[in-house]
Amino acid sequence: MPVNSPQTPPEWTTYYHLRYTVLRQPWQQPEGSERADDDDDATTTHALLLAPEGYATGVGRLHPSGPAQGQIRFMAVHPAWQARGVGRQVLEYLEAAARQQGLTELVLHAREAAVPFYERMGYTVEAPSHTLFGSIPHFLMRKALV
Ligand SMILES: CC(C)(COP(=O)(O)OP(=O)(O)OC[C@H]1O[C@@H](n2cnc3c(N)ncnc32)[C@H](O)[C@@H]1OP(=O)(O)O)[C@@H](O)C(=O)NCCC(=O)NCCS
């Protein structure tokens, strides 16, 4: 199945459900904490890869964060689908969208465990950034889109 933006109500439901179960639930965060105020902005691009059964295997999003700059957030792959190329497909979809929007660089705040994935995808660590939920160090990473 190709990566697409969620369209139908069931697609939006499984999109946010995966975001919650991978990025919030393991740290006992309440339902709803996976949503961001700018999720519904027209300039925010959402990426969803579905399993044949219709549930989300991978999600991620892109929003403009400066002149010609975009930021990747909320990348999450279903545990049963990790290390099978799903994250790559989702990120490449968002990078293609960024290029189409005329963006020339992307930034993101990577969880420490995800840094090797982003390095493999061409991103470079710039500096340590925030610590999420008091326990997850993040690193600011950057990639020039050529
Ligand atoms: C991080 C995450 C998004 C990566 O997605 P994924 O589907 O597991 O990664 P992929 O299988 O698409 O990997 C893409 C490439 O990165 C490489 N890679 C992925 N994780 C890696 C690691 N820990 N160390 C080294 N290389 C890694 C893969 O080998 C692959 O390389 P290849 O295409 O040359 O074979 C996913 O594992 C995940 O959701 N993790 C938990 C939540 C999380 O940390 N999200 C990110 C928040 S910033």
Side-chain angles (χ1 to χ4, degrees):
M1 286 220 187
V3 178
N4 269 305
S5 287
Q7 302 292 334
T8 64
E11 287 178 0
W12 281 111
T13 298
T14 192
Y15 174 88
Y16 283 117
H17 182 69
L18 184 62
R19 201 194 259 187
Y20 176 68
T21 54
V22 174
L23 298 176
R24 293 291 179 268
Q25 192 174 33
W27 292 272
Q28 292 79 44
Q29 298 302 304
E31 279 187 53
S33 61
E34 76 280 11
R35 311 240 175 181
D37 287 345
D38 60 353
D39 274 336
D40 296 330
D41 286 3
T43 50
T44 300
T45 303
H46 299 270
L48 167 67
L49 186 61
L50 292 169
E53 296 85 356
Y55 67 87
T57 62
V59 297
R61 55 156 262 194
L62 161 75
H63 70 276
S65 53
Q69 184 192 78
Q71 182 176 346
I72 303 290
R73 285 193 74 192
F74 297 113
M75 286 283 302
V77 174
H78 188 294
W81 288 79
Q82 287 176 13
R84 294 167 64 178
V86 170
R88 172 182 282 280
Q89 282 185 76
V90 169
L91 191 52
E92 286 178 346
Y93 175 94
L94 294 173
E95 291 176 353
R99 287 191 182 89
Q100 278 193 337
Q101 294 169 22
L103 305 178
T104 56
E105 76 168 3
L106 290 175
V107 295
L108 55 84
H109 296 275
R111 294 176 181 218
E112 191 168 32
V115 165
F117 162 73
Y118 290 114
E119 285 179 335
R120 184 81 185 105
M121 298 299 294
Y123 293 75
T124 307
V125 171
E126 293 237 314
S129 60
H130 62 286
T131 299
L132 185 66
F133 310 139
S135 64
I136 313 173
H138 279 65
F139 293 85
L140 173 63
M141 301 186 75
R142 190 179 302 271
K143 177 178 180 174
L145 297 177
V146 286

